[in-house]
Amino acid sequence: MPIKLFATDFDGTFLDDKKDFDHKLFDELMKKLVRQGKFFTAASGRSYNGISHPLGNFVRKYPIYFVSQNGASVFADGKNIFR
């Protein structure tokens, strides 16, 4: 079965010690995932705003999903789809 969803913890995994990430590399990755019909999910104990804000324009450019508050809420297209 092919992998369709890629999920990562946010703090200390996706983000570096300076709370940043390689924007160019992430853009290239997202282009490939979208082209292949695959999905990216950021997961964190933070709130939705706390994990979506650092991704800035990527949230508007790509379909990025969020699992926030340690799994208590799930967001797709900026809408809460599970609480």
Side-chain angles (χ1 to χ4, degrees), residues 3-82:
I3 296 171
K4 290 290 217 172
L5 174 76
F6 295 85
T8 183
D9 179 55
F10 215 56
D11 294 307
T13 304
F14 182 78
L15 297 177
D16 61 22
D17 292 339
K18 296 177 184 170
K19 304 292 185 203
D20 203 6
F21 61 98
D22 186 329
H23 293 247
K24 182 179 177 188
L25 179 62
F26 185 66
D27 190 52
E28 291 172 17
L29 170 71
M30 288 305 301
K31 285 177 188 174
K32 286 181 182 181
L33 290 177
V34 168
R35 190 170 48 247
Q36 295 174 6
K38 298 178 180 182
F39 305 95
F40 176 80
T41 302
S44 178
R46 293 192 206 190
S47 68
Y48 167 73
N49 289 335
I51 54 176
S52 65
H53 181 72
L55 291 173
N57 292 329
F58 292 107
V59 175
R60 291 180 280 288
K61 187 175 179 181
Y62 299 110
I64 299 173
Y65 302 89
F66 297 92
V67 176
S68 65
Q69 300 165 315
N70 291 323
S73 296
V74 178
F75 290 81
D77 299 321
K79 296 180 177 85
N80 184 255
I81 60 169
F82 175 82

